[in-house]
Amino acid sequence: MYAIAVDVGGTFADLVLRDQQGHTFTAKVPSNYKDPLEMIIHGLSALAQELGFSVRELLSCTDKFIHGTTVGINALLQGQGAKTALITTAGFRDALELRRSQLSEPWDLRAVLPPVLVPRYLRLGLRERLDYRGVPLKALDKTQIPEIADFLRQEQVESVAVCLLFSWRNPAHEREFKELLQALLPQVFISLSSELSTQMGEYERTSTTVINARLSPVLSDYLLNLDSQLRDLGLRVPLSLARNNGGLTDMFQAKRCAVSTLFSGPAGGVKGGWALAHELDLPELVVADMGGTSFDVSLIRQGKMEVTPQAEVAGYPVQLPMLDIHTVGAGGGSIAWLDQGGMLRVGPHSAGAQPGPACYGLGGEEPTITDAALVLGLLDCSNFLGGRMNLDGKRALQAIETKIARPLGVSVPEAANAIYQVALSLMIDAVYLMTIKKGYDPRLFSLAAVGGALPLFATALAEGIGIRRVVIPAQAPVFCAQGLHYAPFQIEVSRGIYELLGEQPDFKCREAISELEEQADQELSRLGVASDRRCYLWSADLKYPDQHHEITLEFPCNVSDIRLWQRIGEAFHAVHQRRYGYSQPEKSLVLVNLRLLACEKENSFRTVAGQDTVGEAASSEICSVYRPGGLQEIRSYRWQDLKPGMGVEGPALIKRNFTTVFLEDNWRANLDQAGNLLLNLRKEGFNADGDGRSY
């Protein structure tokens, strides 16, 4: 039997198949926004052909099918989605437009804000009211609901977001409204804020609910079509969908909660980085993924993935836990351009897969990072995508000369090198933001360079940020799809408490813990996770009474421990002291939220020792690349010719299907027993402890 993971990106769709013995087979096909289902079938055909099967034979032998999708995020970025209305407590319908006072550019009062997702005429106030404790002050006015239904029907509204005041404390009014409205409008999708987030924050909850209402019908149609086509082709198992938090869910839940799949593709890359960190015993790891449209950075710290309780997507807050991923528009298809002042810029706009970079010969005329790499000699014209696509060097030269070189008064190779360096600086800034700006020393980290494009920049990026060890995994070109194989079924539930924390657990906390565990167990049972395969991770958001931001602490849930909450308080003061340089142990603490992460138990990992010796040299060829100062002849190796123990000294190129590694001066590459390429900086320097040893 086989397990298949599919990650659909902005430029390519990646597929990774694993058999029961752990062998992997991969496929990479160009993306097609007009018909994303067609490219998945195309990729499955490529896998089936490699195995000597038909697509029907392959799918009939598949017992797990995992999908990381960009349908939701693409619809949000492009302003698409179902026509949506918003129902709020009367008098609060403008919370969505008032937003927060904080601006992304605090000194620019003319900064453009993202469009309001629901126009004012579709934002309706409902006569009802709960107080801050969730106690009803005014019952739901049921006579208003037929009027609302008639208006929504007249406006041909497809989806409704419901976010009533203090429903995170008491969801009764939201549930009652949904039941009554659904009876009148059975074809309209209804999203309740209380089903998505039980945390305070009116604007954030409203934004999250509206995004979910806009995107869920779109994702639902896509998944139903995909499931139908795959079943017609022989698939017998239900689809599994990747979520923002690195776990999996089923199609039933994904159709109702599209907002939880916005980063399902990049989440696979973080999960893959987590697995790689365990396999290679690298507890501190920067996972950097450069695909066709973006450059994504995440961290593995102390062997754990970094999770943020909420994030901002395309300028809109999303109040759901998700992996902490920072993204910049620096992918292989990112376009190089000159601003009004004549300054060279790269991204964030991308040529995508169609028309793609100029060198694709599909009608693209804008110079991209891929065109620059081709002009510099870092890419092989005849071996792109494993030899299935020939690149047109003349078109790349022409695009760079017309758009960049001639206006700047430089040669084409100099312009291509400038594009390379600007793109590199964007990546260094992104890693800087995720490490140094957060107080982490990058010299203590290794770098996992993944995605089809990043190995061209890996050693320069590492050296630019102070990292001395780089890992390019065996499946680096399809790493997000590979990582999806490690994702477990996972459910995260939370409860807003917002009460002073006493030294002993009170009844409210005990009750919340019991209800959250029951809720998580019901969902895991529905997903088919056996009780002996479940694990639970509890955490709490706490703060001092006069603070705005919380600190999240993990804790072992043992409600019979009378000192549990005292221990949690002591841990909070210690973390606060370490993080901010002071603590106030004399103050009581506010317990803001309780959280439970329940999931399948993870698989154990076999630690792979990295080879760091130089054995017999691999065969190589001589090729010319442009470097500052002119053309330089360097050696070019084929990845498949390398064996553990063989060392490659930089400068050099290491080529394989779907990617190319550019090894800078003073770097050495070795292949480990698992097929990962390990790169180490050799020049003299200071390590993290400053003892002057060489690397």
Side-chain angles (χ1 to χ4, degrees), residues 36 63 101-102 238 267 269 287 304 321 380 429 432 463 469 472-473 505 510 526 576 608 635 669:
D63 59 0
S101 59
Q102 184 178 3
V287 183
K304 296 181 180 180
D380 189 341
D429 287 347
Y432 178 92
E463 204 164 348
R469 182 181 176 90
I472 301 179
R510 288 173 180 265
R526 191 185 63 78
H576 199 283
V608 179
R635 292 197 172 273

Side-chain angles (χ1 to χ4, degrees), residues 636-652:
S636 173
Y637 300 82
R638 295 194 309 167
W639 187 305
Q640 59 265 37
D641 291 340
L642 301 179
K643 295 180 176 60
M646 289 183 177
V648 174
E649 306 288 338

Side-chain angles (χ1 to χ4, degrees), residues 397-626:
L397 281 166
Q398 183 179 1
I400 293 177
E401 180 181 18
T402 303
K403 303 287 186 176
I404 306 297
R406 194 179 301 159
L408 290 180
V410 298
S411 68
V412 173
E414 288 173 330
N417 183 64
I419 294 171
Y420 180 95
Q421 296 299 329
V422 170
L424 176 63
S425 69
L426 292 174
M427 300 176 206
I428 292 174
D429 287 347
V431 178
Y432 178 92
L433 181 67
M434 292 292 284
T435 54
I436 295 173
K437 290 285 283 186
K438 292 187 175 184
Y440 307 141
D441 187 345
R443 295 173 297 179
L444 302 178
F445 287 77
S446 299
L447 172 67
V450 302
L454 189 57
L456 283 175
F457 295 83
T459 52
L461 170 61
E463 204 164 348
I465 199 66
I467 294 175
R468 297 165 172 82
R469 182 181 176 90
V470 177
V471 180
I472 301 179
Q475 302 297 339
V478 291
F479 196 70
C480 287
Q482 170 77 2
L484 293 176
H485 283 287
Y486 296 98
F489 281 111
Q490 184 170 298
I491 177 70
E492 186 155 354
V493 291
S494 64
R495 177 66 55 83
I497 304 294
Y498 214 83
E499 300 284 353
L500 287 176
L501 180 66
E503 292 187 357
Q504 295 184 5
D506 58 19
F507 174 76
K508 178 174 288 189
C509 292
R510 288 173 180 265
E511 185 180 36
I513 286 173
S514 176
E515 290 177 355
L516 289 175
E517 188 165 347
E518 181 180 359
Q519 181 182 349
D521 280 335
Q522 288 178 352
E523 182 67 10
L524 288 178
S525 295
R526 191 185 63 78
L527 292 171
V529 180
S531 56
D532 61 344
R533 290 286 301 162
R534 301 174 187 177
C535 58
Y536 304 89
L537 179 63
W538 289 90
S539 59
D541 299 338
L542 301 111
K543 68 174 186 174
Y544 291 123
D546 51 353
Q547 283 185 313
H548 181 64
H549 297 289
E550 306 92 30
I551 291 177
T552 301
L553 297 176
E554 296 178 2
F555 66 91
C557 184
N558 181 8
V559 293
S560 63
D561 182 0
I562 62 173
R563 295 192 65 242
L564 173 65
W565 304 106
Q566 181 181 347
R567 296 177 193 275
I568 293 175
E570 292 170 353
F572 175 87
H573 296 306
V575 171
H576 199 283
Q577 177 71 41
R578 186 166 61 250
R579 186 174 296 183
Y580 300 113
Y582 77 97
S583 62
Q584 298 173 303
E586 71 280 0
K587 285 190 174 184
S588 298
L589 300 177
V590 176
L591 175 58
V592 181
N593 300 301
L594 279 174
R595 302 179 185 275
L596 170 59
L597 176 66
C599 61
E600 283 183 292
K601 290 181 179 178
E602 308 284 4
N603 296 322
S604 58
F605 292 96
R606 176 176 60 90
T607 301
V608 179
Q611 284 282 349
D612 198 33
T613 58
V614 178
E616 177 187 357
S619 59
S620 64
E621 299 176 350
I622 300 296
C623 64
S624 297
V625 300
Y626 181 87

Side-chain angles (χ1 to χ4, degrees), residues 157-194:
V157 167
E158 303 168 282
S159 188
V160 176
V162 184
C163 189
L164 303 181
L165 203 62
F166 298 114
S167 59
W168 62 276
R169 285 282 204 183
N170 181 357
H173 282 187
E174 284 195 353
R175 292 174 180 173
E176 184 179 8
F177 174 81
K178 179 178 180 178
E179 181 180 354
L180 295 171
L181 184 66
Q182 197 79 80
L184 298 173
L185 299 174
Q187 302 302 321
V188 170
F189 178 79
I190 302 176
S191 179
L192 302 184
S193 69
S194 54

Side-chain angles (χ1 to χ4, degrees), residues 27-85:
K28 183 183 282 282
V29 296
S31 295
N32 183 351
Y33 283 119
K34 295 181 180 179
D35 191 354
L37 301 181
E38 180 185 6
M39 63 183 172
I40 293 178
I41 304 302
H42 184 197
L44 291 172
S45 299
L47 288 177
Q49 184 177 0
E50 187 173 357
L51 291 169
F53 293 160
S54 67
V55 173
R56 182 171 297 277
E57 290 172 331
L58 172 62
L59 290 179
S60 65
C61 296
T62 297
D63 59 0
K64 192 171 186 180
F65 196 103
I66 312 166
H67 186 21
T69 175
T70 57
V71 170
I73 187 66
N74 287 341
L76 180 63
L77 294 175
Q78 296 169 14
Q80 300 174 352
K83 186 175 182 179
T84 302

